[in-house]
């Protein structure tokens, strides 16, 4: 039966059908739904790991044990997991192992737009790139086959548009191969220099064999690379061969080489009017296939988002191509972007003369981070930031974040800043980090503070969930990926056991409490941790208990003088109408932070 | 058939995912090739959100570009204006007249633009504007704005109302079915 399926869900479906048995991931947009969907298949063991490195090592361990495994991450997560990945390339696997990475060209939800294909090249791992949901299912199956046939982990690269687009698929049955026996084999798996030296040439030979696979295009009945000749070509038969076509003199034929979502844009603009080489196995890239294709046309265009990977490969083979000389290195492509680059007309469109005010994402009404960030803003301190919903605290009117870098960096950046500047910095700088981010990689940074003693003040924003990516459990929530009871790390005990004596918990809805804690801990001549604890306002249950919010507040217009004090917290539920504050009842959850700023007692609990 | 394009725009959290799910389900049942492109992650936190729905004999690109949308369905008035450049010449905007202040308006950095519907019509757009929130509340839930909008959009399609209603029945949990069918009827008018 045909159905519409999200790219990430289709990939999960393909992995399931191909017999994936163990899945371990850390959430990250746009990769999260792959693992969330995998978790719905209860015959796959699935989990959220504390970070991507742990997830990859878990998946590797399972593959070593003889069961097909997967791990998924966003592009920057692959940096965290790079260490095991590069050596897993040397050891190979036992049963198949698939690494899913989702890039975010256009930075819809990311701090950079690095191109993960570089990781595939550098780690010498094969990488497949589907162009729609149906191909995501097919490539998942091919990935396990390639992984076992060529003894290597296989990367499947998604991007935002493929991951978060629904297209038509047909699903199949799950075929689960028998568990492969594990055999101790130090020469293959124990990467001492002596053994690794012998493994490296095997990796190089494997790459040569994979280049040949790319040239041949087919893995079993799954087409990895394909040429779609233009409709005006005189084709020899139904099944289009990859063999070169004669160049017809004077035709000025353009041939396009593309991958991923760019294939869709090319077909949207040109239909079947030009020759297209669609690359699905993007690492290693084919050689003779590209040469033959280039020889069949007068001019080759390479259309790929972000970096010129295919383009540079063509140039290395001595093929002259157009690519980044006319197309951008940054942001997502689209059909109009191609039309403009190719000198074609774009559809006419209208716009209003006046500017429409932007609508940036904001912290939700009742967000527990707001009270804490308001207090930091009042103290006018430097704030080393981190990755999560709370990064929105850097926006106006709170402006309560100076920087961010990567998961966990707030804590170590604070340590470095304090070591560089001493007391002045120690009394005027804090780090803020979410509970999930702290457990991801803030713990090791805190170990540095505890060990090398900087008088740093770290604030853990514990909202009892991984928020930004859509509410995933983590090791501090006490629940697993299915919402079932699980082990729970106690943050206070963890921090104390590292040697931090000054640990205190505050309620971020209580501004006086936040103020006192920040004042005292900044002044203290010792490392300290403040845990700002309140569940995410969007959670419907916490710890198995249903969340009941307070009544929405209302503004008493007789008391309100229109001073806008309540507006200073940047709550989306408060606006000014006719010089009086108005509270949106549909958004307000009665957190009471604005109430504490009103000197006229105008904000009261509604009936 | 040439590919048709519907853009659904609004504010994160307003329920545009159900609207695109409904359209995708219905159009696939009608035998079209369909692609639906959504937004997840950070922009969902009260930001401006866009969903693309494309259908036809064969759909390639998952996104809709400037000047390509046959319909823009907007959950909020200013969002309809923001995405006007995506409307095809002579295309139609179906919009809720609800106004939700974005943060720059809340902080006083900018003002909410006035008389937007008139301005959109001056630019050649066919605008069908209605107070969907009131109609949704009349149907029994303020959350049914999405289905009120789908009801109105359905007027411009050759697909019979029963097919839309069947799609709603297939996708909405039983306890919300009546509210949503009523919202659809009120939107369709």
């Amino acid at each position: 039966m045909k159905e519409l399926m999200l790219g990430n869900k289709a990939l999960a479906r393909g992995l399931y059908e191909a017999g994936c048995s163990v899945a371990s991931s850390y959430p990250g947009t746009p990769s999260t739904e792959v693992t969330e969907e995998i978790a719905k298949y209860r015959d796959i063991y699935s989990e959220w790991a504390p970070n991507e490195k742990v997830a990859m090592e878990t998946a590797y361990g399972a593959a070593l044990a003889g069961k097909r495994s997967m791990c998924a991450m966003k592009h920057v997560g692959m940096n965290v997991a790079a260490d095991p990945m590069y050596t897993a390339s040397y050891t190979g696997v036992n049963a198949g192992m698939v690494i899913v990475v989702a890039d975010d060209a256009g930075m819809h939800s990311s701090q950079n737009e690095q191109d993960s294909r570089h990781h595939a090249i550098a780690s010498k791992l094969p990488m497949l790139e589907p162009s729609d949901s149906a191909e995501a299912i097919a490539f998942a199956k091919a990935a396990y086959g390639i992984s076992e046939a060529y003894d290597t982990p296989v990367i499947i690269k998604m991007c935002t548009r493929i991951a978060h687009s629904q297209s038509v698929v047909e699903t199949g049955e799950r075929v689960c191969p028998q568990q492969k026996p594990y055999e101790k084999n130090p020469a293959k798996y124990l990467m001492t220099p002596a053994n690794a030296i012998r493994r490296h040439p095997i990796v190089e030979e494997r790459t040569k064999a994979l280049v040949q696979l790319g040239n041949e295009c087919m893995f079993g009945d799954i087409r990895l690379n394909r040429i779609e000749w233009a409709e005006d070509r005189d084709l020899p038969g139904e099944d289009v061969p990859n063999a070169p076509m004669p160049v017809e003199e004077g035709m000025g034929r353009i041939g396009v080489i593309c991958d991923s979502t760019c294939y869709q844009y090319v077909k949207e603009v040109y239909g079947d009017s030009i020759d297209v080489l669609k690359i699905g196995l993007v690492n290693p890239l084919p050689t003779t296939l590209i040469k033959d294709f280039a020889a069949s046309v007068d001019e080759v265009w390479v259309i790929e988002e972000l970096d010129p990977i295919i383009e540079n490969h063509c140039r290395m083979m001595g093929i002259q191509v157009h690519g980044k000389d006319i197309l951008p290195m940054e942001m997502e492509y689209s059909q109009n972007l191609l039309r403009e680059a190719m000198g074609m007309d774009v559809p006419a469109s209208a716009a209003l003369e006046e500017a429409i005010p932007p609508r940036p994402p904001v912290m939700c009404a009742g967000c527990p981070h707001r009270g804490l960030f308001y207090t930091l803003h009042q103290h006018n301190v430097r704030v080393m930031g981190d990755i999560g919903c709370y990064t929105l605290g850097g926006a106006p009117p709170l402006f309560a974040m100076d920087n961010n870098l990567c998961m966990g960096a707030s804590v170590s950046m604070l340590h470095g800043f304090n070591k560089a500047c001493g007391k002045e910095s120690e009394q005027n700088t804090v780090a803020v980090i979410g509970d999930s981010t702290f457990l991801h990689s803030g713990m090791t940074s805190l170990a540095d503070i505890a060990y090398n003693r900087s008088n740093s003040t770290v604030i853990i924003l514990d909202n009892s969930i991984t928020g930004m990516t859509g509410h995933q459990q983590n090791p501090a929530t006490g629940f697993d990926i299915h919402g079932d009871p699980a082990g729970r790390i106690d943050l206070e005990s963890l921090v104390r056991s590292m040697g931090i004596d000054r640990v205190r918990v505050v309620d971020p809805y209580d501004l006086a409490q936040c103020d006192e804690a920040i004042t005292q801990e900044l002044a203290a001549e010792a490392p300290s941790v403040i845990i700002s604890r309140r569940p995410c306002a969007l959670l419907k249950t916490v710890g198995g208990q249903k969340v009941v919010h307070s009544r929405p507040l209302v503004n008493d217009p007789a008391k309100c003088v229109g001073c806008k004090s309540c507006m200073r917290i940047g709550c989306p539920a408060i606006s000014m109408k006719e010089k009086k504050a108005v509270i949106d009842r549909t958004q307000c959850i009665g957190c009471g932070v604005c109430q504490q700023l009103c000197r006229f007692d105008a904000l009261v609990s509604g009936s | 058939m040439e590919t048709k394009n519907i853009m659904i725009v609004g504010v994160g959290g307003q329920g545009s995912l159900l609207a695109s799910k409904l359209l995708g389900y219905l159009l696939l049942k009608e035998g079209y090739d369909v692609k639906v492109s959504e937004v997840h992650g950070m922009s969902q936190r009260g930001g401006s959100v866009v969903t693309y729905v494309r259908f036809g004999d064969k759909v390639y690109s998952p996104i809709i570009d400037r000047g390509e949308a046959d319909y823009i369905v907007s959950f909020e008035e200013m969002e309809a204006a923001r995405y006007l450049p995506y409307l095809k010449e002579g295309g139609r905007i179906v919009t809720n007249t609800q106004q939700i202040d974005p943060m720059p308006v809340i902080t006083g950095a900018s003002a909410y633009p006035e008389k937007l519907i008139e301005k959109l019509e001056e630019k050649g757009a066919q605008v069908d504007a209605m107070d969907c929130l009131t109609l949704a509340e009349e149907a029994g839930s303020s959350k049914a704005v999405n289905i009120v909008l789908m009801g109105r959009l359905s007027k411009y399609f050759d697909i019979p109302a029963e097919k839309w209603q069947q799609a709603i029945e297939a996708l909405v949990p039983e306890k919300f079915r009546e509210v949503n069918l009523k919202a659809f009827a009120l939107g369709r008018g």
Side-chain angles (χ1 to χ4, degrees):
Chain A
M1 189 190 76
K2 282 185 178 177
E3 59 183 301
L4 268 184
M5 199 177 272
L6 195 69
N8 276 348
K9 185 176 177 178
L11 181 51
R13 178 73 203 183
L15 294 167
Y16 164 77
E17 288 178 12
C20 176
S21 295
V22 175
S24 182
S25 302
Y26 185 80
T29 314
S31 73
T32 310
E33 300 82 9
V34 181
T35 309
E36 285 183 326
E37 293 295 335
I38 284 258
K40 291 177 184 168
Y41 300 112
R42 286 299 186 113
D43 31 7
I44 300 177
Y45 168 78
S46 55
E47 65 172 31
W48 291 126
N51 68 31
E52 296 85 354
K53 175 180 182 289
V54 174
M56 187 170 293
E57 291 156 354
T58 301
Y60 177 79
L64 203 64
K67 287 202 172 181
R68 287 186 169 183
S69 69
M70 68 81 74
C71 55
M73 62 209 69
K74 67 184 294 173
H75 59 320
V76 286
M78 185 160 264
N79 304 337
V80 179
D83 201 353
M85 186 168 83
Y86 281 55
T87 303
S89 174
Y90 276 35
T91 68
V93 293
N94 183 20
M97 174 176 171
V98 171
I99 300 163
V100 175
V101 64
D103 281 15
D104 191 18
M107 295 169 280
H108 296 270
S109 234
S110 305
Q111 66 270 40
N112 74 24
E113 53 182 343
Q114 67 186 47
D115 190 327
S116 293
R117 295 177 298 172
H118 290 294
H119 267 308
I121 295 167
S123 65
K124 301 168 191 279
L125 290 179
M127 176 183 263
L128 296 168
E129 268 194 297
S131 288
D132 58 24
S133 297
E135 218 167 51
I137 292 182
F139 282 10
K141 295 176 180 176
Y144 277 125
I146 292 169
S147 178
E148 288 171 6
Y150 293 81
D151 191 13
T152 173
V154 174
I155 304 170
I156 297 180
K157 175 182 165 270
M158 303 291 274
C159 66
T160 298
R161 289 300 167 197
I162 307 299
H164 289 165
S165 291
Q166 299 177 42
S167 56
V168 181
V169 300
E170 284 185 75
T171 56
E173 295 297 314
R174 175 171 165 92
V175 180
C176 197
Q178 271 206 320
Q179 182 168 0
K180 293 190 169 191
Y182 167 72
E183 282 164 31
K184 186 170 177 174
N185 184 354
K188 184 172 187 297
Y189 295 121
L190 186 64
M191 286 303 95
T192 56
N195 289 338
I197 285 166
R198 292 189 190 95
R199 289 299 299 178
H200 189 180
I202 295 171
V203 174
E204 300 304 329
E205 286 306 310
R206 181 179 75 202
T207 298
K208 283 181 198 161
L210 285 162
V211 169
Q212 194 48 36
L213 174 67
N215 287 333
E216 289 162 6
C217 298
M218 302 295 290
F219 181 80
D221 58 353
I222 299 167
R223 193 174 284 277
L224 305 175
N225 300 327
R226 68 170 182 261
I227 294 174
E228 295 176 10
W229 297 113
E231 58 192 352
D232 64 343
R233 290 271 194 184
D234 191 13
L235 294 178
E238 272 288 291
D239 190 20
V240 182
N242 295 313
M245 301 285 279
V247 182
E248 294 134 334
E249 291 293 329
M251 292 279 286
R253 278 193 178 275
I254 293 174
V256 172
I257 307 178
C258 54
D259 64 347
S260 186
T261 189
C262 290
Y263 164 77
Q264 305 292 358
Y265 303 141
V266 168
K267 294 297 281 188
E268 181 75 30
V269 171
Y270 288 103
D272 298 327
S273 68
I274 59 168
D275 300 321
V276 174
L277 169 54
K278 179 189 176 300
I279 303 284
L281 179 60
V282 74
N283 190 63
L285 284 163
T287 48
T288 52
L289 181 68
I290 290 177
K291 280 181 192 158
D292 290 349
F293 180 75
S296 305
V297 297
D298 295 302
E299 203 171 290
V300 179
W301 294 65
V302 178
I303 299 176
E304 57 189 325
E305 281 178 347
L306 301 179
D307 295 340
I309 305 272
I310 302 172
E311 181 180 340
N312 287 349
H313 178 77
C314 291
R315 289 188 201 282
M316 277 196 300
M317 291 193 298
I319 300 167
Q320 289 306 307
V321 298
H322 285 295
K324 299 298 174 185
D325 50 339
I326 37 165
L327 291 159
M329 297 269 267
E330 64 278 345
M331 301 299 282
E332 286 186 291
Y333 286 6
S334 70
Q335 47 266 37
N336 277 357
L337 183 136
L338 290 197
R339 288 180 184 124
E340 280 171 349
M342 304 300 187
M344 298 162 77
D345 290 338
V346 296
S349 69
L352 299 187
E353 279 80 24
E354 67 191 291
I356 304 294
R359 189 185 297 276
V362 290
M363 287 194 289
C364 309
C367 175
H369 303 322
R370 181 172 285 107
L372 196 277
F373 279 123
Y374 174 75
T375 311
L376 292 174
H377 176 69
Q378 292 301 101
H379 278 257
N380 197 24
V381 290
R382 279 185 291 264
V383 180
M384 304 287 146
D386 225 298
I387 309 287
C389 284
Y390 47 94
T391 313
L392 296 169
L398 295 171
F399 298 106
M401 196 170 286
D402 286 50
N403 59 2
N404 75 343
L405 194 62
C406 67
M407 297 283 283
S410 60
V411 181
S412 12
M413 288 191 297
L414 172 67
H415 178 66
F417 212 100
N418 286 344
K419 284 295 179 190
C421 298
K423 204 162 188 172
E424 184 282 324
S425 166
E426 290 176 350
Q427 294 180 346
N428 289 293
T429 317
V430 300
V432 292
I433 183 166
D435 49 337
S436 189
T437 311
F438 178 73
L439 292 165
H440 176 285
S441 48
M443 281 195 292
T444 41
S445 304
L446 190 65
D448 197 21
I449 287 176
Y451 169 46
N452 289 310
R453 305 308 282 182
S454 59
N455 295 332
S456 296
T457 303
V458 173
I459 303 172
I460 301 176
L461 305 166
D462 179 9
N463 64 351
S464 309
I465 205 75
T466 311
M468 183 91 270
T469 46
H471 289 171
Q472 290 75 32
Q473 303 294 339
N474 69 54
T477 67
F479 294 90
D480 68 11
I481 195 169
H482 304 295
D484 296 329
R488 179 179 162 272
I489 293 175
D490 181 78
L491 290 175
E492 290 94 305
S493 309
L494 172 70
V495 169
R496 282 207 178 87
S497 71
M498 284 182 164
I500 309 268
D501 297 326
R502 297 187 69 94
V503 184
R504 62 200 283 175
V505 178
V506 298
D507 177 358
Y509 281 177
D510 186 336
L511 294 179
Q513 215 183 84
C514 291
D515 183 67
E516 185 186 274
I518 289 165
T519 305
Q520 290 177 357
E521 298 313 323
L522 279 171
E525 298 208 350
S528 51
V529 170
I530 301 169
I531 299 172
S532 169
R533 180 168 289 148
R534 263 279 172 183
C536 169
L538 298 181
L539 282 175
K540 298 208 164 42
T541 61
V542 174
Q545 304 290 312
K546 197 171 185 298
V547 174
V548 182
H549 291 302
S550 304
R551 289 174 186 284
L553 301 183
V554 291
N555 184 38
D556 181 348
K559 288 182 178 171
C560 178
V561 298
C563 70
K564 296 187 181 173
S565 287
C566 56
M567 304 288 288
R568 287 183 295 169
I569 53 172
C571 176
I574 312 176
S575 56
M576 294 296 286
K577 294 274 150 68
E578 287 152 15
K579 297 187 174 169
K580 304 275 182 188
V582 177
I583 295 184
D584 178 356
R585 287 179 56 86
T586 63
Q587 289 194 63
C588 178
I589 61 160
C591 76
V593 172
C594 59
Q595 242 174 343
Q596 296 165 57
L597 297 178
C598 181
R599 286 169 291 144
F600 304 96
D601 298 325
L603 299 163
V604 292
S605 188
S607 51
Chain B
M1 189 193 91
E2 201 180 318
T3 301
K4 290 275 181 193
N5 300 315
I6 309 167
M7 255 172 101
I8 304 170
V9 303
V11 180
Q14 276 192 300
S16 61
L17 284 185
L18 178 62
S20 61
K21 200 172 170 185
L22 178 72
L23 286 172
Y25 179 89
L26 177 74
L27 295 165
L28 189 67
K29 282 239 160 186
E30 289 295 300
Y32 295 110
D33 185 24
V34 184
K35 278 189 180 164
V36 178
S37 204
E38 305 162 356
V39 177
H40 299 231
M42 190 176 236
S43 26
Q44 281 185 301
R45 300 276 175 265
S48 173
V49 293
V50 188
T51 305
Y52 308 106
V53 179
R54 312 192 70 214
F55 65 102
D57 293 335
K58 174 70 188 165
V59 180
Y60 288 108
S61 172
I63 63 170
I64 297 168
D65 217 325
R66 284 166 194 264
E68 289 187 335
D70 296 277
Y71 300 93
I72 292 178
V73 179
S74 180
F75 282 62
E76 200 270 351
E77 198 173 286
M78 190 167 82
E79 294 308 309
R82 185 188 312 286
Y83 291 99
L84 174 66
Y86 285 81
L87 194 68
K88 191 179 272 184
E89 271 187 332
R92 180 173 291 278
I93 295 175
V94 177
T95 185
N96 183 8
T97 51
Q98 191 184 354
Q99 299 185 348
I100 300 172
D101 287 351
M103 197 47 67
V105 173
I106 289 177
T107 60
S110 27
Y112 197 102
E114 291 176 353
K115 295 182 181 161
L116 282 174
I117 305 296
E118 285 171 37
K119 289 173 188 167
L120 290 171
E121 283 172 341
E122 278 167 21
K123 289 290 171 190
Q126 303 184 63
V127 186
D128 188 348
M130 60 200 283
D131 180 355
C132 299
L133 185 58
T134 301
L135 291 176
E137 280 168 348
E138 195 183 321
S141 167
S142 60
K143 288 185 178 155
V145 164
N146 46 17
I147 302 299
V148 173
L149 280 166
M150 289 298 103
R152 182 52 61 115
L153 180 70
S154 74
K155 283 176 53 171
Y156 303 105
F157 282 72
D158 288 335
I159 303 167
E162 305 83 68
K163 295 278 182 71
W164 292 77
Q165 287 155 351
Q166 284 162 14
I168 291 169
E169 282 166 9
L171 296 175
V172 174
E174 182 145 15
K175 60 177 174 174
F176 301 121
R177 218 165 271 172
E178 204 185 311
V179 170
N180 281 292
L181 288 172
K182 201 170 166 195
F184 179 80
L186 286 170
R188 196 171 162 96

